[in-house]
Amino acid sequence: MLFKRDYFTLNEIALMSLLGGLVFVMLMALRMPLHIPGHTGIFMVIPVIIGVAIIQKPGSGTYIGLVAGVLLSFFGVSALHVFDVFQYTALGMVTDIIGYSFRYRMDLTPVSVLAGIAGNLAKMLVNFAVNLAIGIPLVVVIIEAGISSVSHTIFGALGGLISAYLVARLIRTGVITRNAD
């Protein structure tokens, strides 16, 4: 068996579910008509990064992304909202990988910025894969990817920067405890 039966505690599941719901609420409540690709990454990656920093177990970011994706797929307002579950699960999975690789040190600015960038770019790549799957020409997707990868990187980095600050504050106040290495 890969995971123990009690891998996530009930408190951790509740926290991850609330953070996934927070992603959904933030995307619905903070809708800004900027018309810049990836601008939601500035605040969408924050709950995922904070959740991974608090739980410190593989799969926590994936769970948060899955909850957010299911909510956005069911209630979403984007054109392809049915596929949001894949985008946000990819965001969570990449954040999990970054967190695990750096021992969940999301209080370090480079780690959180990397997680924000990687998560936002993973969401973008899944979006482009969906576009290709529904029949949008490859040339259009490549041009769109080239342009929007820069803005996804910038906004993901800003979200990661905010996350690093918040996680460091949560550690200083004792809300998050560091695991003994």
Side-chain angles (χ1 to χ4, degrees), residues 64-101:
I64 295 168
L66 182 65
V67 169
V70 166
L71 288 171
L72 285 163
S73 291
F74 192 69
F75 296 110
V77 293
S78 66
L80 298 173
H81 65 85
V82 174
F83 299 106
D84 282 346
V85 68
F86 301 116
Q87 294 178 21
Y88 289 92
T89 303
L91 180 145
M93 289 172 72
V94 168
T95 306
D96 267 338
I97 292 168
I98 300 290
Y100 182 77
S101 299

Side-chain angles (χ1 to χ4, degrees), residues 6 11 13 15 21 26 28 35-37 42 52 103 106-107 109 121 135 144 154 156:
D6 56 348
N11 290 338
I13 292 171
L15 178 65
M26 289 175 83
M28 293 293 117
H35 303 293
I36 300 172
I42 198 167
V52 169
R103 294 187 173 161
M106 300 301 203
D107 57 318
T109 303
L121 286 176
E144 189 178 328
I154 291 169

Side-chain angles (χ1 to χ4, degrees), residues 27-159:
L27 286 173
M28 293 293 117
L30 301 175
R31 295 173 62 194
M32 298 174 282
L34 294 180
H35 303 293
I36 300 172
H39 73 278
T40 57
I42 198 167
F43 53 84
M44 158 192 68
V45 299
I46 295 171
V48 180
I49 293 174
I50 290 174
V52 169
I54 291 173
I55 306 297
Q56 298 180 17
K57 292 180 182 174
S60 57
T62 305
Y63 185 89
I64 295 168
L66 182 65
V67 169
V70 166
L71 288 171
L72 285 163
S73 291
F74 192 69
F75 296 110
V77 293
S78 66
L80 298 173
H81 65 85
V82 174
F83 299 106
D84 282 346
V85 68
F86 301 116
Q87 294 178 21
Y88 289 92
T89 303
L91 180 145
M93 289 172 72
V94 168
T95 306
D96 267 338
I97 292 168
I98 300 290
Y100 182 77
S101 299
F102 292 98
R103 294 187 173 161
Y104 302 103
R105 290 302 310 261
M106 300 301 203
D107 57 318
L108 301 175
T109 303
V111 176
S112 282
V113 167
L114 179 64
I117 291 171
N120 212 19
L121 286 176
K123 184 181 150 299
M124 178 194 78
L125 289 174
V126 170
N127 183 32
F128 291 143
V130 168
N131 286 338
L132 284 173
I134 63 171
I136 295 178
L138 179 62
V139 172
V140 174
V141 173
I142 289 173
I143 291 171
E144 189 178 328
I147 294 169
S148 66
S149 63
V150 173
S151 61
H152 275 80
T153 301
I154 291 169
F155 289 117
L158 289 173

